[in-house]
Amino acid sequence: MLPSTSSATATTPHRRLALHSTTTCAVQASEYGKCILKTYTDIRKDACKEEFAKFGACLRTAMRRKW
Amino acid sequence: MLSTVARRSLNLRAPCRTSRHFFASVSSSSPNPSTVGPFQVFDRNAKRIQKNASVTKDNGETSRVVDYVRDEVADRMIERLMDIKRKFNTILDLGSGPGHFSKMLDTTNTEKVVMFDSSEKLLYRDPDSDFGVEVERIHADEENLLQIVPRNSQEAIVSCLSLHWVNDLPGVLIQMREALKPDGLFLGALFGGDTLFELRSALQIAEAEREGGISPHVSPMTDSRDMSNLLGRAGFTLLTVDVDEVKVNYPSMWELMDDLRDMGESNAVIGRRHILHRDTLAAASAIYKELHGNEDGTVPATFQVIFVIGWKPAPNQPKALERGTGQTNLKKVL
């Protein structure tokens, strides 16, 4: 395994996304994941829209960019 | 094996350039999924480019770091070769890569090994001094085995984790049987259908929930039940098929994806999406962890491996007896 996402020197956008989605926004990620866990046997678009909105907002703040 | 991830290009320069920081692997002549036949599942050209790129990166250092899955499986495969009490003059290692399996051979098994791979860079990654036996390397496409190797010429053909990128698996098995001498051995290991099921499901759920649809990111792989049928149909006898698993824990989905790319195992399914949206990726990472994560915070990845042994028929070969001709009552024995 490569020293990558967990290091403080996450330089590329891909690495930063990896870092923020697993550490900075871990709480929101977990909330979203738990919502999916409840519904994944009958998954449909935007089933966990609210939870993802919070997760996404956290990511956009951490990444300091919009997409 | 897994999907391409690319930064959305801001000014839509086409075609996407392959950047080594991303999973992008756009083959220049990527086949159109609606114009290829039913046996064309994988983009072999993209696969060759990915494999070559994995070796070019950091002079092959990253490629060596991710040898762990293949080395483990090669080690288990050597055990199976040891069970065969026969010494070979040459063994053909089809889809050898840098020789994970070939490197473990020594002069008690064979005098010489011939490595055969479609990725030139991978084939020549490691020097001859790493091998215990004489090495010959052939750079050619595994799917066209019989164009390179004459019929009835090989004592043994082995294949360690390369057949999952072959389009026409039944056809390649038949070519192998043809290339073997009578009573020749085929020993192989290939990824089974449960391989990377965690990643497959996480990406599918993320895509369905975020984008409302799914696309292939993890290849279809052979079911273990199909392997004996395929070998039988290809004309091998005295079959042995068994299934094993290698489980690896990663800090998160991201490290798994990085490692798969460095193994040259990025997605090469024809008609794959070259871009995974950031939101979908982040969602997949969260889902992977909640759905499959370990208690210590790491996430597991399963590599299911199917080991197969088959022999080319020969008149002097021992054969299974007719059904019902047994003389001993097994009830008494057991």
Side-chain angles (χ1 to χ4, degrees), chain A residues 1-2 5 14-15 17-18 21 29-30 32-34 36-37 45-49 52 55 59-60 65 67, chain B residues 8 22-23 65 205 208-211 249-252 254-255 258-259 262 277-279 282-283 286 290-291:
Chain A
M1 225 160 298
L2 299 175
T5 47
H14 177 69
R15 291 249 182 281
L17 182 64
S21 65
S30 178
Y32 172 69
K34 287 201 173 72
I36 292 283
L37 209 57
K45 190 172 191 301
D46 292 332
C48 298
K49 196 176 182 183
F52 192 84
F55 182 30
L59 285 176
R60 283 162 175 78
R65 61 161 83 186
W67 63 83
Chain B
R8 272 198 300 174
F22 299 96
F23 295 85
V65 168
I205 294 172
E209 198 274 332
R210 285 291 85 216
E211 303 177 43
N249 289 331
Y250 293 87
S252 74
W254 305 90
E255 284 82 4
D258 281 349
D259 277 17
D262 292 341
H277 192 268
R278 251 188 220 133
D279 279 348
E290 284 303 317
L291 209 58

Side-chain angles (χ1 to χ4, degrees), chain B residues 206-225:
Chain B
E207 267 191 336
E209 198 274 332
R210 285 291 85 216
E211 303 177 43
I214 59 171
S215 62
H217 292 291
V218 178
S219 309
M221 278 168 275
T222 321
D223 197 312
S224 53
R225 283 169 301 183

Side-chain angles (χ1 to χ4, degrees), chain B residues 14-28:
Chain B
C16 272
R17 291 237 84 166
T18 309
S19 154
R20 62 193 211 111
H21 295 295
F22 299 96
F23 295 85
S25 51
V26 184
S27 164
S28 54

